[in-house]
Amino acid sequence: FLGDRRAELAGMDPTAPALVDELLRLLEAGGKRVRPAICFWAFAAAGGPRGDPIVRVCAALELLHTSAIVHDDLMDRDDERRGVPSTHVRFAKEAPAGADPDAFGTAAAVLVGDLALVLSERLMRTSGFAAGRLERGMSRFDRMRAEMAAGQFLDVSGSSDRVRVRALKTGSYTAEGPVLIGAALAGAGADVEGPLRVFGRLVGEAFQLRDDVLDGEEGADAAAHVDDLLSRAARTLVGAPLRPDGAGALIEIAELLRSPRVS
């Protein structure tokens, strides 16, 4: 998909493919693909068939995450991402002669993040799902993106309501949003979507709280709470009317999130 988009940009201007090249650089640098994995297995747990459409949706989620980290690194002025220079730093070092390096790096990072956001929606829209299912999935996708922006704004505004910031900025977009997208695309009813939603909410809260613990912003009590949230999330799926392979994979993901190496 990105190769095709790169060719499109090359037809517009020889320098334009640099934007897609940067997305490829970030994607190839690593990442655990937690959001796509959660969406894929929620879709499977809800009875969805494996195939190219759900894989394209999962790729869309990874592009959305890439957009978020490019903009987040710029706002936080972080120098590194996944062991490589962050986007604004990389472009500042490669600024054209006569350009202000910081200004060029900032502008390029904004554009790279914006392009990733546009392409994530294009992948969703062209995933191959039937119109009714796609409409349901897109409504979840739209809600998730809005909550992500709201949470980030609260964060940069210095909000003291850390629980609310976590719920919006990371909780929804890390787990609950991907779970609900997968469930919607599978055509899940309330009896299936219900436990998946609770699972996503608990995992999302645990994921952000765990990061706060790793960053030294929370102590031992919070670490114990992370374990409790992940255990509760796993128990939510036990006995639910879900396909066993999908439910089992989601439970395994919750267990993996106990590791500080998964981010």
Side-chain angles (χ1 to χ4, degrees), residues 70-203:
V70 169
H71 286 162
D72 195 55
D73 287 345
L74 177 61
M75 285 182 269
D76 294 343
R77 309 310 295 183
D78 287 334
D79 293 336
E80 189 176 281
R81 171 68 64 170
R82 298 171 177 167
V84 299
S86 53
T87 298
H88 66 279
V89 170
R90 176 243 163 150
F91 277 101
K93 292 177 180 177
E94 299 175 7
D100 177 81
D102 287 340
F104 180 75
T106 295
V110 169
L111 294 170
V112 168
D114 287 352
L115 180 63
L117 189 61
V118 169
L119 295 183
S120 71
E121 179 161 339
R122 183 168 177 177
L123 257 178
M124 282 285 293
R125 285 191 290 103
T126 61
S127 60
F129 280 98
R133 295 280 177 92
L134 182 60
E135 184 178 357
R136 285 186 64 190
M138 285 300 300
S139 69
R140 304 293 193 188
F141 189 58
D142 291 341
R143 174 77 180 187
M144 181 180 68
R145 289 183 293 175
E147 290 179 345
M148 183 178 73
Q152 182 68 11
F153 182 71
L154 285 177
D155 194 20
V156 299
S157 299
S159 173
S160 59
D161 189 350
R162 300 309 300 169
V163 173
R164 187 63 179 157
V165 171
R166 282 198 297 265
L168 288 171
K169 181 182 176 183
T170 302
S172 171
Y173 128 90
T174 295
E176 187 174 356
V179 159
L180 291 178
I181 290 170
L185 291 171
D191 60 331
V192 170
E193 184 183 273
L196 287 173
R197 180 192 291 270
V198 174
F199 172 86
R201 185 176 300 140
L202 292 170
V203 167

Side-chain angles (χ1 to χ4, degrees), residues 8-29:
E8 277 184 354
L9 288 172
M12 300 173 191
D13 185 89
T15 64
L19 298 172
V20 173
D21 289 340
E22 176 61 10
L23 294 177
L24 290 166
R25 183 184 75 94
L26 293 172
L27 289 166
E28 290 168 358

Side-chain angles (χ1 to χ4, degrees), residues 175-233:
E176 187 174 356
V179 159
L180 291 178
I181 290 170
L185 291 171
D191 60 331
V192 170
E193 184 183 273
L196 287 173
R197 180 192 291 270
V198 174
F199 172 86
R201 185 176 300 140
L202 292 170
V203 167
E205 183 181 350
F207 189 90
Q208 183 58 45
L209 185 56
R210 165 187 165 279
D211 278 359
D212 290 345
V213 171
L214 293 174
D215 292 340
E217 297 175 10
E218 298 283 353
D221 289 346
H225 188 43
V226 169
D227 284 341
D228 178 60
L229 287 167
L230 293 173
S231 295
R232 286 165 55 197

